[in-house]
Each structure stands twice: as C-alpha cells, then as structure tokens.
Amino acid sequence: MTTTAVAHETLSTAQAINRALHDAMTEDPAVLMLGEDVGPLGGVFRVTDGLTATFGEDRCFDTPLAEAGIAGFAVGLAMNGMRPVVEMQFDAFAYPAFEQVVSHIAKMRNRTRGRVELPLVIRVPYAGGIGGVEHHCDSSESYYAHTPGLHVVTPSNPSDAYSLLRSAIASPDPVIFLEPKKLYWAKGEVALGDRREPGIGTAVVRRQGTDATLIAYGPAVPVAMEAAEEAAREGRSLQVVDLRSIVPFDDATVCAAVESTGRAVVIAEAAGFASVASEIAARVSERCFHSLSAPVRRVTGFDIPYPPPKLEHVQLPSVARILDAVDDLQWEDA
Amino acid sequence: MLLDPDGRPTAAGAARLPAGEELLRGLAGMITARRFNDQASALVRQGRLAVYPSSHGQEGCQVAAAQVLDDGDWLFPTYRDTAAAVARGVDPVEVLGLLKGDWHSGYDPYERRVAPLTTPLATQLPHAVGVAHAARLRGEGTVVLAMCGDGATSEGDFHEALNFAAVFRAPVVFFVQNNQYAISVPLARQTAAPTLAHKGVGYGIPGEQVDGNDLAALLDVLSGAVERARAGEGPQLVEGRTYRMQAHTNADDATRYRADGEVAAWVARDPLVRLETYLRTDGILDDARAAAFADAAEQVARRTRDGINRDVVPDPDDLFRYVYSEPTSQLVEQLALVHDELSRDESSRDESSRGEQSRAEAHR
Ligand SMILES: Cc1ncc(C[n+]2csc(CCOP(=O)(O)OP(=O)(O)O)c2C)c(N)n1
Ligand SMILES: [Mg+2]
C-alpha cells in the first residue's frame, strides 16, 4: 500500500468519515452506502450528508427499517461485486443484525475456503458520553471482537477515522467500523487521499512516556491522553497507546510499549467482564510477564447496563479513576 | 371514516358514531394529550428532558388505544406512545422517566398494565403476544393492545409477533400508527403492499385500515377488534393512517426530507379540530364543558412541568441494585469503589482542595 496523501484539512470526525465515503465512492463505483435515514437526511449524525445528492439514489440510499435485512442484503451485494458500506443507526440497534453478522458475514470466507469474499463495512456509532437514553450508548465491541472472521476497528480522532475507513472499504474482509459518538464533533487535522498507512492491524503510540503505559482505543483515548497530561503535572511520565484496531490486534506495538515501561493500565468504556479490555490485559500479562513490575490493571465500565444520562459519569472511565489505577502499580517496589 | 375532515358525519358515521359521552371522553383525552405533548416538547427546549418524540397530530390514535381497553387489559406502547400511557392513567411525570434521563423507565408496568416504553423498534410485539398467551393459559379475559409505527412493520419482530399470535390465536390487537414516516424515510420505502393492514393476510389475521385522525372511527374499529379478540377470534391488525405533524424529535430537522405543503395538508386534518367541530355543531359540547376539558389538560401540563422541573439527585447505588436479584460479588466490589470515590470527592470539597490531591493522598 502506498502513502499518497494529497492534502490536509481540519475536519470533525463526522466530516472525516463523510469525506472518506465520498472519496471511496468517487474512486470505485462498486462502493455503496446504505442504511436507515442515510439518504436525503444524511444520517442522524449527518455522516452521509450530501452523498445521495452527489452520487444519486443508487449509490447512497435508505432501506426499509430492518437491520437483519440490511446486513443480509449487504452480504448479497458483496457476493455480487459490490462493496457495501452499511450504517447502523446506533450501537444497540445493530443487534437485530447480529445473526447475519455472526453466522454469515464472519464465516463466509472460511466456509467457502476463500472462494466467497465479503468486502463490506458495517459502520456503528457506538459508546457513551453523549447523554443518550437507554440503547443509545452501548459499547458493543466485545461482541464483535469475540467473533472470528470480523475485523474490528475504532478511530480516536478525525485523521484515523478517515484513513481507517478508507482501509476498511478497501479491505477484502468484513470490517466492523466503530465510531465513537462523543468524538463525532471533535475536530482535527486530516490527511486526505488514498492513505492506508498505518493500516488496519496497527496500533500507534500517541504519547511517549517512561513510567507506565496506558492502553486505550476509540472513545477512551482522549481520556487516557488527559490522564497522561495530568500525571505529568504530578511528576509521572505516562505513555499512551491507541489501538485503532482491536482485530487484528497489534501485539508487537503493545508489547514493545509495555516492555519499555514495565507497567500497564488498560482503559475501555465497555463493561469489563469478558471484554476486549480483559483480552488485552491477558495478552500483555502472558507476553510481557518478565518485564512487568506490577499486575496489569484495567479501568473499564462497571458490569452494569449502561446508565441513564444523569448517571453516565459514574460509568465512564475518568482521569481520576485512571490515575488511581496508575497509583496502584506497586511503585513502592520500584 | 365516520367523521370527515370538516367534522361532518359520513354515511357510515350516521349509523355507527359512538355515543356522545364516549366522544366527549375522547375529546377530553385528546386535548390533554396535545397539551402534554406540547408541554414535553417545551421541557426539552428548556433542557429538562433529554429528548422528546412528540405524537402531536397523532392524539386520536393515542387516546383511542387507551380508551378501548378495560382495566384488566394490557397496553404495549412503542417509544413515541407517551400520550397513550398518560391516557391510560399512568402518571405523566413517570411516563417521561426514560426521556428525563434519571432512569430507563419511570413507572410500574403492573400498576396500570402498561409495558415499559423502550426504543428498540418492534421488539415489544412478541412480548405482547406472550402476555396474551399467558392470560389465556391463566383463564383471564385479558386483551393486549400492542402499538408500533409504520417503520417498525419492516422489522422481523413485527412479522414473528403476528405469526405467533395467529398460530396461538392470542388475544392481541396490533395497532400500527402509520404516520407516514420513519424519521426521514417515507412509507414507500417500508412497503410495496397496498396498505399496512394487508400485512395480516399472510398470517391469517384480519386487517383493517382506519382514518387515524378520526377518533370516532378509531373507537369504532379498535373496540370492534378488542371485542373480537376477547371473544376468542384471535389476533387483529388495525392500521391507523395519521401523520407526525412535527419533527421526529427535537433533534431532527424535518425540512430536510418533506415539504411544508405536505405538513399543512395534514394540519388541516387535525383530529382535535375534527371531533370538536362535530361535537359543537351537534350541540353535544358546550363552552362550559370545553373549558373544563382545557382546565383538566392544563392541570396535567402543570403536574408534568412541576414534576420534571423538580431536581432529583439520582442515586449511583441504583446502578448496581437492580442488575440481578442479588448483586454478584463483582458488583459489590465495584459499588464499594464508587462509594470510595464519592467519599473522597466529598472530603476534597470539604477541604476545598483539589480532587486530584485527595486522589493522590488516598493512595500514598
Ligand atoms: C431496532 C431499531 N432500529 C433503529 C432505531 C432508530 N429509530 C428510532 S425511531 C425510528 C423510526 C421509527 O419509525 P416508525 O416505526 O414509523 O415510528 P415513528 O417514529 O414514526 O413513530 C428509528 C429508525 C430503533 N429505535 N430501533
Ligand atoms: Mg412512522
């Protein structure tokens, strides 16, 4: 894959995703955008704004209100030469599509010994922090990550949103593209163009640090960055790794980072039990054991249904909670 | 149609109009429902509710759904049907529980036999069939009225619920409010069937379409369906043709997908105006009665306002209290962590020092 960034622009995450869709649709007529309210309305988060006007009804269109149907329909589209990008309106409203995702989208390549590829992307606005009522703030990544056959990625900033989505659309494998809702309006510098490096499967070190490593993804990354900033004021140097890609998982980058500091805290919004955060903690413990000065800690959502708006602050990993976990990393033994 | 949009009885209406008292009750309900809708929308603008999907324009359907049921029956509303729940007697403040953001649902479903209002579309419909079937097994004469929107009829759960109901001859009335839109998506994108009432055919369920802005016709058709279901004739499907006169919610911009002229044409078919015109023309409604109805509606609005404006400090313990019948050891541990954080916040406030300081001190 080549790196041919053509221009830089300041965009919000929603705009960056919109631009990635626009650019991919311009380059490849097989790319289709479909879902609920993605046509004239431009999606409830306006991520598909203008695509129907630009590319016409055949390229960006509203479907009947049926997520299982949308996902199954996308399978057929992909089997016959299209590259569908599906929008699920909210995390919890993707659940009706679960059977298609788990039983077919994830398994088709393996079932057919690679003869049938499903180059499709399912975009899911996910996670909390927006004061949404029940079913509008789920962190559903662990369900997908637990299903072999799916790539699962989640950007933490507009630039990654653009490049990861370009990579996802270009991928021969199905990709679950998780969009942190609370970051839709966050702005940042975006390098445009057919830019797929670093691609799916690579984590990046967002902040250098020497005392401990914070491992985060998606909506938790800005909180981890803030915590590192605060820790620096308290005299502690924290490194931050942004996974970007949950599946495939970048063991090399994560382990190198943890080995360099000898301490790790994993941060995620999702309930911690049997979660992506559990997997990360387990992998790091297994692989970096001899470099670790303390057990790997997790700061995650509690094992409760996502709270109503007025209590969501209790659930979300906070700077204080992260720094408490860092404080627990057996410094007295150092 | 029993009353035409100008409030004149049609030929069918001349023979089948419900009794004057029933219609007055319906009008009173609609006036309250309209007032409640508009009050709730105002509370969103004032930042007191997270969001409100208004049934402004659909009050005929909302009120009729509640009015045709007996106390022992069940109502299974969809997320927009707050006014139907109020019409059934649920406290208006509690009805808004989900949208206020203190909790996921505000009322005891068993008290007025109204299932919780939730947002995953069509998922309540199979529940309704199960409740109806259990009622049969228990020898109760209960009828379940289950509501959903036109968009929700595209979901698999809608079809599965109709099929289960038909196979088990469950006493369920499926009431689809076809308000022409699912957020921005018009009915033509949901179905190629001539009407949504046709959807009963494939399941062996009688389907009937009714003018959803004609309260008289709604009472007539829905009470007929309820009676047939109660008599053991199996499930019924009713489609009320109505219109969502306002945006999907306050967060929506309806001008992106529909023309003002279309809205105006439906405003001219307002269900409240139609019934009130008839009742006044026929001398059933006088000024004193109309004033009493407005007064009652105002009281509901005031109660809603006062209740929603009252600041309740939600208790974090509640997050851990109801997940299981007994909290797991993990939840006990996690709640203790929350308590520890709260007490440190508390003490740091007392010392008016930085929260971060107390955080650090607690560990060193
Ligand atoms: C399973 C599911 N998918 C998507 C949504 C998002 N959503 C909320 S309301 C709505 C439109 C519903 O349309 P309709 O059933 O006609 O009811 P109306 O809003 O018109 O009352 C959509 C798509 C949802 N709540 N649940
Ligand atoms: Mg509708």
Side-chain angles (χ1 to χ4, degrees):
Chain A
M1 305 264 165
T2 49
T3 302
T4 52
V6 290
H8 284 76
E9 249 180 73
T10 301
L11 299 173
S12 69
T13 306
Q15 288 168 332
I17 296 168
N18 178 274
R19 183 65 77 85
L21 290 166
H22 177 277
D23 292 354
M25 290 172 82
T26 303
E27 280 172 31
D28 183 354
V31 177
L32 306 178
M33 179 68 230
L34 58 146
E36 294 159 7
D37 301 288
V38 301
L41 183 64
V44 295
F45 293 104
R46 303 294 183 264
V47 167
T48 58
D49 195 19
L51 297 178
T52 301
T54 305
F55 297 98
E57 263 283 316
D58 284 348
R59 300 286 307 284
C60 176
F61 55 94
D62 291 326
T63 64
L65 207 175
E67 295 77 13
I70 293 170
F73 184 65
V75 168
L77 291 170
M79 284 176 75
N80 199 12
M82 299 296 167
R83 301 188 91 84
V85 182
V86 160
E87 177 176 298
M88 292 291 160
Q89 200 159 84
F90 280 87
D91 29 62
F93 303 144
Y95 299 148
F98 204 58
E99 181 180 31
Q100 288 292 342
V101 171
V102 172
S103 299
H104 295 296
I105 293 175
K107 293 191 169 87
M108 191 66 89
R109 171 186 296 280
N110 187 62
R111 174 188 297 147
T112 63
R113 295 181 180 274
R115 292 184 185 99
V116 180
E117 284 190 339
L118 295 180
L120 63 85
V121 179
I122 299 183
R123 296 183 29 242
V124 187
Y126 89 120
I130 58 159
V133 300
E134 194 192 34
H135 306 296
H136 292 73
C137 287
D138 278 16
S139 287
S140 38
E141 66 270 26
S142 305
Y143 305 135
Y144 300 112
H146 191 67
T147 303
L150 303 173
H151 284 176
V152 184
V153 304
T154 178
S156 69
N157 60 75
S159 195
D160 275 3
Y162 181 87
S163 72
L164 280 172
L165 185 54
R166 292 302 304 270
S167 304
I169 295 171
S171 169
D173 286 310
V175 179
I176 307 294
F177 190 86
L178 300 170
E179 305 173 1
K181 285 186 288 273
K182 72 167 189 193
L183 302 181
Y184 269 143
W185 304 277
K187 295 210 166 207
E189 179 96 334
V190 179
L192 302 168
D194 189 4
R195 195 172 54 83
R196 301 182 204 154
E197 294 294 339
I200 292 177
T202 42
V204 302
V205 175
R206 283 271 167 244
R207 182 187 170 105
Q208 301 294 343
T210 51
D211 293 336
T213 303
L214 305 182
I215 305 166
Y217 56 87
V221 173
V223 190
M225 293 295 280
E226 237 183 281
E229 200 108 321
E230 179 63 30
R233 279 192 285 275
E234 294 180 8
R236 200 165 262 162
S237 165
L238 301 186
Q239 181 189 43
V240 178
V241 175
D242 177 354
L243 289 185
R244 302 165 76 253
S245 176
I246 297 171
V247 182
F249 188 85
D250 186 354
D251 281 312
T253 303
V254 171
C255 287
V258 173
E259 279 162 6
S260 76
T261 63
R263 290 181 169 82
V265 177
V266 184
I267 304 152
E269 272 188 29
F273 197 90
S275 68
V276 168
S278 320
E279 176 61 26
I280 300 169
R283 302 186 80 75
V284 167
S285 302
E286 279 172 354
R287 286 157 191 259
C288 311
F289 185 76
H290 295 292
S291 314
L292 286 173
S293 307
V296 178
R297 285 289 312 261
R298 284 178 291 159
V299 176
T300 67
F302 299 119
D303 299 319
I304 58 175
Y306 194 83
K310 289 184 187 161
L311 286 170
E312 72 175 343
H313 61 277
V314 177
Q315 176 76 345
L316 295 171
S318 61
V319 167
R321 213 170 271 165
I322 293 168
L323 294 183
D324 281 351
V326 170
D327 285 345
D328 276 353
L329 295 173
Q330 304 192 1
W331 301 96
E332 59 283 4
D333 303 342
Chain B
M1 198 190 294
L2 300 186
L3 293 173
D4 73 16
D6 297 321
R8 285 184 298 259
T10 60
R16 302 182 53 182
L17 268 182
E21 276 309 309
E22 274 295 291
L23 293 177
L24 282 171
R25 207 181 131 204
L27 180 66
M30 287 199 294
I31 290 170
T32 295
R34 173 68 51 90
R35 188 67 191 86
F36 173 74
N37 271 327
D38 295 347
Q39 178 61 68
S41 293
L43 286 164
V44 177
R45 290 192 295 275
Q46 293 153 17
R48 303 300 305 184
L49 291 177
V51 63
Y52 185 67
S54 181
S55 61
H56 185 116
Q58 301 173 218
E59 289 89 348
C61 294
Q62 295 285 302
V63 168
Q67 197 168 327
V68 296
L69 296 179
D70 291 346
D71 278 353
D73 293 336
W74 271 90
L75 181 71
F76 274 70
T78 187
Y79 77 104
R80 194 181 294 285
D81 300 328
T82 47
V86 171
R88 179 128 174 99
V90 183
D91 178 83
V93 179
E94 293 185 1
V95 166
L96 296 173
L98 169 73
L99 306 165
K100 188 183 179 203
D102 293 343
W103 199 250
H104 308 293
S105 176
Y107 53 91
D108 177 353
Y110 289 109
E111 210 171 288
R112 297 293 304 143
R113 296 199 160 196
V114 178
L117 290 149
T118 68
T119 57
L121 298 168
T123 54
Q124 75 282 12
L125 303 177
H127 309 169
V129 181
V131 165
H133 189 61
R136 288 265 308 268
L137 295 176
R138 289 159 58 105
E140 301 168 359
T142 309
V143 171
V144 180
L145 190 144
M147 303 171 79
C148 72
D150 47 303
T153 66
S154 296
E155 290 281 7
D157 276 4
F158 173 82
H159 297 269
E160 295 177 28
L162 262 67
N163 194 42
F164 269 63
V167 166
F168 291 109
R169 285 187 77 76
V172 182
V173 176
F174 295 98
F175 180 33
V176 179
Q177 284 173 88
N178 170 7
N179 64 4
Q180 315 299 328
Y181 286 92
I183 308 187
S184 71
V185 181
L187 184 67
R189 256 305 142 96
Q190 301 300 344
T191 186
T195 73
L196 292 173
H198 278 77
K199 300 227 167 193
V201 176
Y203 301 105
I205 295 179
E208 197 170 348
Q209 197 183 41
V210 58
D211 184 328
N213 286 9
D214 178 359
L215 186 92
L218 282 161
L219 290 178
D220 183 47
V221 168
L222 284 173
S223 58
V226 167
E227 285 331 307
R228 286 193 298 281
R230 206 185 302 284
E233 291 180 37
Q236 314 283 316
L237 172 63
V238 176
E239 171 192 2
R241 284 193 66 237
T242 181
Y243 195 74
R244 197 194 75 210
M245 287 191 194
Q246 299 183 343
H248 162 63
T249 65
N250 52 291
D252 179 38
D253 174 9
T255 63
R256 280 180 166 244
Y257 53 84
R258 66 186 189 187
D260 292 349
E262 179 189 305
V263 182
W266 278 95
V267 170
R269 301 168 61 93
D270 191 307
L272 277 75
V273 177
R274 188 187 303 196
L275 185 60
E276 178 162 355
T277 304
Y278 165 72
L279 291 172
R280 281 193 183 271
T281 310
D282 232 49
I284 301 171
L285 177 72
D286 58 21
D287 286 347
R289 204 77 186 265
F293 291 169
D295 219 50
E298 205 43 53
Q299 275 175 35
V300 170
R302 190 174 319 118
R303 180 163 162 63
T304 306
R305 228 172 20 240
D306 291 350
I308 298 295
N309 281 331
R310 197 172 312 122
D311 278 314
V312 184
V313 181
D315 181 1
D317 287 33
D318 283 351
L319 296 174
F320 298 84
R321 197 167 270 149
Y322 306 108
V323 185
Y324 304 100
S325 55
E326 292 289 332
T328 60
S329 58
Q330 288 77 26
L331 289 186
V332 171
E333 219 174 75
Q334 292 168 16
L335 179 58
L337 177 79
V338 172
H339 284 166
D340 176 50
E341 288 180 350
L342 290 175
S343 68
R344 280 149 58 200
D345 281 358
E346 200 63 35
S347 59
S348 74
R349 251 195 308 279
D350 291 350
E351 297 157 20
S352 68
S353 65
R354 271 193 327 124
E356 298 302 336
Q357 248 162 35
S358 74
R359 178 196 65 71
E361 277 152 20
H363 284 279
R364 294 212 176 108

